[in-house]
């Protein structure tokens, strides 16, 4: 692994514009279950992809609401891990560094990363499912058995995350595509590369001539386009990549 880390460090040191795409794996060591783990952990009897959808919300708004309140509580209790801090440090070192995440937690921000591009929204923000009016979470909402009602139109409030079957925020996706075409190095950290359209982003970087480093204990569909695959937890690998 040392040889690979040294080779990766050399690529990092010669890069002039770095983009980084993170997934749930970067928060795993903070105790936030990855999306797939969420299917083996507390919620193993539910299909997470069903819960994170308009149909799932229409079917059982109370179940979906309680699922998000439980996940939000987990995110609020979690602390950023050395992987998050290493990416924040990298942004300080590299004038041209763009961080794009599929995660709905705020651990990158709490580690000091600024201007994080969130492709799938933010679990701590809420809006009306019909009229879009923003809703600030009240204490009583957290233990409620049903979602709160919008004060304007009376529809249910939902978390401001992108559900399956919903489009990604156009500005976030456009900024991510721009970063992929402009970078000469892409770091792909802790993502299974299974969720579209985020999973298409690394290919754009590759076509634009960027080198790709994958950091993930497991291989996946994105591994074949990586110049170097660092097989291990990002909380250990990223600090070593930065020489810490
Ligand atoms: C859209 C917010 C169109 C919600 C999320 C059939 C084929 C292909 C595509 C589709 C299909 N059917 C439907 C689709 C489209 C669908 C999709 O891709 N489905 C997949 C599952 C087949 N996509 C969509 O619906 C998207 N929208 O296409 O809309 C459209 C266009 C215009 C207008 C209208 C509609 C929307 C996708 C966004 C869904 N929302 N999150 C919530 O969180 O509740 S996605 C959700 O899953 C997460 O946010 C995350 O992004 C994703 C899981 O991916 P990962 O982050 O990679 O996490 P995962 O658990 O999978 O993997 C963890 C990885 O970490 C693993 O590789 C593991 O090895 C690694 N790891 C573990 N520990 C560590 C580690 N790595 C490093 N260190 C460690 N310690
Ligand atoms: Zn409303």
């Amino acid at each position: 692994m040392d040889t690979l880390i040294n080779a990766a460090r050399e690529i990092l040191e010669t890069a002039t514009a770095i983009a980084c795409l993170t997934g749930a794996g970067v928060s795993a060591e903070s105790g936030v279950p990855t999306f797939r783990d969420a299917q083996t952990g507390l919620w193993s009897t539910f299909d997470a992809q069903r819960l994170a959808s308009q149909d799932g919300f229409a079917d059982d708004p109370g179940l979906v609401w309680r699922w998000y309140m439980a996940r939000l509580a987990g995110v609020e209790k979690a602390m950023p891990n050395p992987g998050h801090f290493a990416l924040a440090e990298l942004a300080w070192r590299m004038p041209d560094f763009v961080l794009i995440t599929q995660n709905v937690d705020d651990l990158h921000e709490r580690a000091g990363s600024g201007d994080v591009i969130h492709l799938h929204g933010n679990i701590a923000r809420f809006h009306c499912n019909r009229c879009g009016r923003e809703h600030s979470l009240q204490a009583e909402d957290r233990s409620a058995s049903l979602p709160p009602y919008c004060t304007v139109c009376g529809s249910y409030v939902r978390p401001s995350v992108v559900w399956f079957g919903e489009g990604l925020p156009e500005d976030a996706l456009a900024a991510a595509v721009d970063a992929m075409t402009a970078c000469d190095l892409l770091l792909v950290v802790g993502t299974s590369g299974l969720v579209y359209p985020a999973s298409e982003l690394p290919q754009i970087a590759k076509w634009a001539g960027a080198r790709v480093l994958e950091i993930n204990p497991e291989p996946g569909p994105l591994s074949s386009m990586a110049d170097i695959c660092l097989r291990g937890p990002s909380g250990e690998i990223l600090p070593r990549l930065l020489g810490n």
Side-chain angles (χ1 to χ4, degrees):
M1 173 64 91
D2 284 348
T3 326
L4 283 177
I5 293 254
N6 292 335
R9 219 183 267 162
E10 258 177 53
I11 295 178
L12 189 67
E13 275 147 21
T14 52
T16 57
I18 300 180
C20 180
L21 173 67
T22 64
V26 80
S27 298
E29 291 153 271
S30 298
V32 178
T34 65
F35 218 74
R36 291 184 202 323
D37 293 354
Q39 292 165 337
T40 55
L42 186 63
W43 299 87
S44 54
T45 45
F46 304 105
D47 172 2
Q49 283 170 22
R50 175 84 184 146
L51 291 178
S53 74
Q54 281 289 357
D55 291 349
F57 191 55
D59 271 358
D60 193 338
L63 176 64
V64 174
W65 183 256
R66 290 192 303 278
W67 185 54
Y68 278 99
M69 288 303 102
R71 287 176 61 196
L72 175 61
V75 165
E76 289 168 335
K77 269 204 282 295
M79 295 304 286
N81 67 61
H84 294 107
F85 289 111
L87 290 176
E89 182 185 336
L90 190 51
W92 285 107
R93 287 194 195 179
M94 291 295 302
D96 193 349
F97 178 86
V98 180
L99 179 57
I100 301 140
T101 189
Q102 301 170 82
N103 299 340
V104 294
D105 63 54
D106 62 346
L107 293 174
H108 282 306
E109 287 85 349
R110 284 162 55 193
S113 292
D115 304 329
V116 181
I117 297 173
H118 278 270
L119 295 175
H120 294 157
N122 181 331
I123 199 168
R125 295 217 186 107
F126 300 86
H127 66 273
C128 171
N129 197 32
R130 184 154 67 162
C131 74
R133 180 185 172 81
E134 284 188 18
H135 172 89
S136 47
L137 199 65
Q138 306 301 309
E140 61 272 18
D141 296 339
R142 290 171 180 268
S143 53
S145 53
L146 280 171
Y149 293 107
C150 169
T151 49
V152 169
C153 75
S155 297
Y156 280 134
V157 163
R158 46 141 327 148
S160 298
V161 298
V162 178
W163 278 341
F164 287 98
E166 293 183 330
L168 274 54
E170 283 171 17
D171 52 344
L173 190 53
V177 170
D178 288 348
M180 293 299 140
T181 42
C183 73
D184 57 5
L185 174 59
L186 170 64
L187 304 178
V188 179
V189 186
T191 180
S192 62
L194 293 173
V195 174
Y196 172 87
S199 52
E200 303 294 299
L201 290 170
Q203 187 58 67
I204 298 173
K206 198 74 188 167
W207 278 331
R211 302 234 265 192
V212 178
L213 296 183
E214 180 181 51
I215 297 170
N216 193 321
E218 307 287 332
L222 300 176
S223 303
S224 57
M225 70 177 81
D227 296 85
I228 295 180
C229 294
L230 299 173
R231 288 278 167 258
S234 47
E236 278 168 41
I237 300 262
L238 282 168
R240 287 180 61 189
L241 203 51
L242 268 67
N244 297 346

